[in-house]
Amino acid sequence: MRMSAAKLVGALAVGGLLLGSTACGPVDSITGGGKKKTACKNIETELKSVASSGGSVTGSGGAESTAQKFSEAATKIRSEGQNAGGDVETAATAFAGDLDDTAATLRKLSSGNLSGGTPNFTQMQQHGEDLGKACGYSGFRIG
């Protein structure tokens, strides 16, 4: 069975989201204080929400709906990163950019443009790991 390009991009992006879905760890109490902890928790909640509701490009609205969810998540993650500042802001901004790139690719695919390329999922994974480290989480999980 062949997987459509839009479905493949969506599935790979959700994998990146789950890698980036981290919890703030004990390092926060030493390095960041309340704003950082709150921002990291809000980022985690947003990533889990997108991963659970936005992962299917074949559901209601398809690739365009998933692209919109990724764009909205990127905006929220970027904002939470700004609230935290420092390394969380840097990592959140990079990861949000990856989500925006994925959303743009999904929009191109949904309009029939198959020459839009693919997002850099290796980069997305790295930015997700950076975000986890910035939030003080030392282990990563998928799912």
Side-chain angles (χ1 to χ4, degrees):
M1 176 166 82
R2 294 189 67 205
M3 183 181 290
S4 72
K7 187 173 182 180
L8 177 62
V9 168
L12 291 172
V14 169
L17 286 172
L18 292 174
L19 284 170
S21 180
T22 62
C24 293
V27 175
D28 183 66
S29 62
I30 299 168
T31 62
K35 286 185 179 183
K36 180 176 177 177
K37 183 176 182 178
T38 299
C40 287
K41 186 65 179 166
N42 290 342
I43 289 169
E44 176 186 17
T45 300
E46 183 61 27
L47 289 172
K48 285 181 178 179
S49 173
V50 171
S52 67
S53 69
S56 173
V57 295
T58 59
S60 177
E64 182 58 38
S65 175
T66 301
Q68 184 61 34
K69 289 175 186 174
F70 284 4
S71 291
E72 290 169 1
T75 298
K76 290 176 186 176
I77 290 167
R78 201 174 276 113
S79 176
E80 290 298 336
Q82 290 170 348
N83 290 339
D87 56 347
V88 173
E89 180 177 10
T90 300
T93 299
F95 192 78
D98 296 332
L99 291 176
D100 284 333
D101 290 346
T102 302
T105 298
L106 288 171
R107 286 188 178 100
K108 288 177 186 175
L109 291 172
S110 72
S111 68
N113 180 353
L114 301 178
S115 64
T118 59
N120 184 337
F121 295 112
T122 302
Q123 176 180 291
M124 179 184 270
Q125 179 180 353
Q126 181 60 53
H127 290 155
E129 289 175 8
D130 293 345
L131 183 55
K133 288 176 187 173
C135 284
Y137 188 72
S138 60
F140 297 95
R141 68 192 187 301
I142 298 177

